[in-house]
Every structure is written in C-alpha cells, then in structure tokens.
Amino acid sequence: GLMGAVTVAAFAVPFLSAWKPSEKAKALGASVKFDLSKLQPGAMAIVEWRRTPIFVVHQTQEAIDNLPKLNDKVTDQANEILPSNEKKFTVLKGVCTHLSCAPKYHPEIEPKAWDQEWLGGFFCPCHGSHYDTSGRIRKGPAPTNLEIPKYEFVNNNTIKIG
Ligand code: FES
C-alpha cells in the first residue's frame, strides 16, 4: 500500500508541472486594453484577443437613434447589447454565429444589394446574415446575436477585454 502511494506521488509531480500554463499560454489568456479616444464616431477597430477578432464600434448618435426602428426585425431578443446615449461603444466578438465567418462592418445608411433599407450594421458575406450596428441578428441563417466578450471600462477612455 505504501509503495503504491510513493509511486503515485513520484509520477504526480512531473504531471502537475506539465499542466502549469506556459508563458505563451498565459499571454494568450491575458486581457487586452484598448484606447477608445482615437476611435471616431462611426469607426470600428478590430482588437485581437485570444486569437479572436473583437469589434469595438464607436456608435454615432444616428446609429443609436436608428436601433429601435429595427426592434421588430431582430430575431434573438436578448437586447442587453444595445448601446445607450451614455455608453456609445459596442464590443462584440467578430465571429458570425452561423458558421464563424467574419462579418463585415457596413455603417453606411444606404440601400445595399442585400437590403434596400439598410440602416447600417454587419453583413456576413458567407451566407448573407444581417446584424445591426449593435450586433443583433436581423436576418439569418445566423441564429443568435454576435457574442459579447467579457470586458469592462477601466476609465472613460479605456476598455479592458478579457
Ligand atoms: Fe455568417 Fe454563414 S457564416 S452567414
């Protein structure tokens, strides 16, 4: 019985150290800060976090005002992602919830080939899903809104993702 325990302990040590995260793995999991001050209204930045593109959008007042007009067309009613007049930044994973393509940001309010009444948002060219500027899904095949990564405001001009 005792020999068995000793043997297990001897094997357990190298096993555990192999499970310690490497510096590379730690860096991958680390949070990323982003300075919002240079992002003009209407502009979007793509920040890489955990090998995932994160879309950071500075909403224009017009885009915020237009969002309620799209409420009827939104098929996934989780609407906590709506930006408010106080909080004009939207942070989303830039990964289509259909089959993980990268949706393209089209903030222009103008008729598009895929929607004559386009009010700005994200269009996924792979199979034609439409998301509004806040990431809500308006037209599939994507089943749900763009995901929101964990993030927080560190101060008025800086967010920390992760
Ligand atoms: Fe975006 Fe299919 S991957 S619509």
Side-chain angles (χ1 to χ4, degrees):
L2 188 60
M3 272 313 282
V6 169
T7 311
V8 168
F11 280 108
V13 173
F15 185 70
L16 277 179
S17 61
W19 274 86
K20 272 197 192 153
S22 67
E23 289 308 311
K24 201 173 150 197
K26 276 197 235 168
L28 256 180
S31 52
V32 179
K33 284 193 181 157
F34 180 71
D35 176 4
L36 300 165
S37 64
K38 293 186 186 77
L39 201 59
Q40 297 299 316
M44 179 181 85
I46 302 178
V47 182
E48 191 183 333
W49 173 68
R50 292 194 178 172
R51 298 207 173 122
T52 302
I54 304 297
F55 293 169
V56 183
V57 177
H58 187 171
Q59 303 286 357
T60 61
Q61 190 59 49
E62 192 178 22
I64 292 172
D65 292 345
N66 275 329
L67 286 170
K69 296 180 195 165
L70 297 168
N71 287 353
D72 294 350
K73 296 183 177 164
V74 171
T75 50
D76 175 4
Q77 290 297 336
N79 61 0
E80 79 277 11
I81 61 176
L82 282 183
S84 62
N85 289 333
E86 297 77 46
K87 186 178 148 288
K88 297 194 172 178
F89 293 92
T90 296
V91 183
L92 301 163
K93 284 190 187 172
V95 179
C96 183
T97 59
H98 180 222
L99 292 175
S100 305
C101 279
K104 302 281 177 272
Y105 179 51
H106 289 279
E108 322 77 37
I109 298 169
E110 61 185 25
K112 295 288 190 189
W114 59 83
D115 184 351
Q116 290 302 302
E117 293 164 23
W118 185 250
L119 290 177
F122 300 91
F123 175 72
C124 185
C126 290
H127 313 93
S129 290
H130 303 184
Y131 302 88
D132 69 15
T133 52
S134 70
R136 296 183 302 173
I137 184 68
R138 296 181 39 204
K139 184 168 176 283
T144 54
N145 300 334
L146 292 177
E147 280 182 51
I148 306 171
K150 180 173 172 269
Y151 77 96
E152 61 182 273
F153 278 82
V154 180
N155 57 45
N156 280 346
N157 284 325
T158 312
I159 53 167
K160 186 175 84 173
I161 301 162

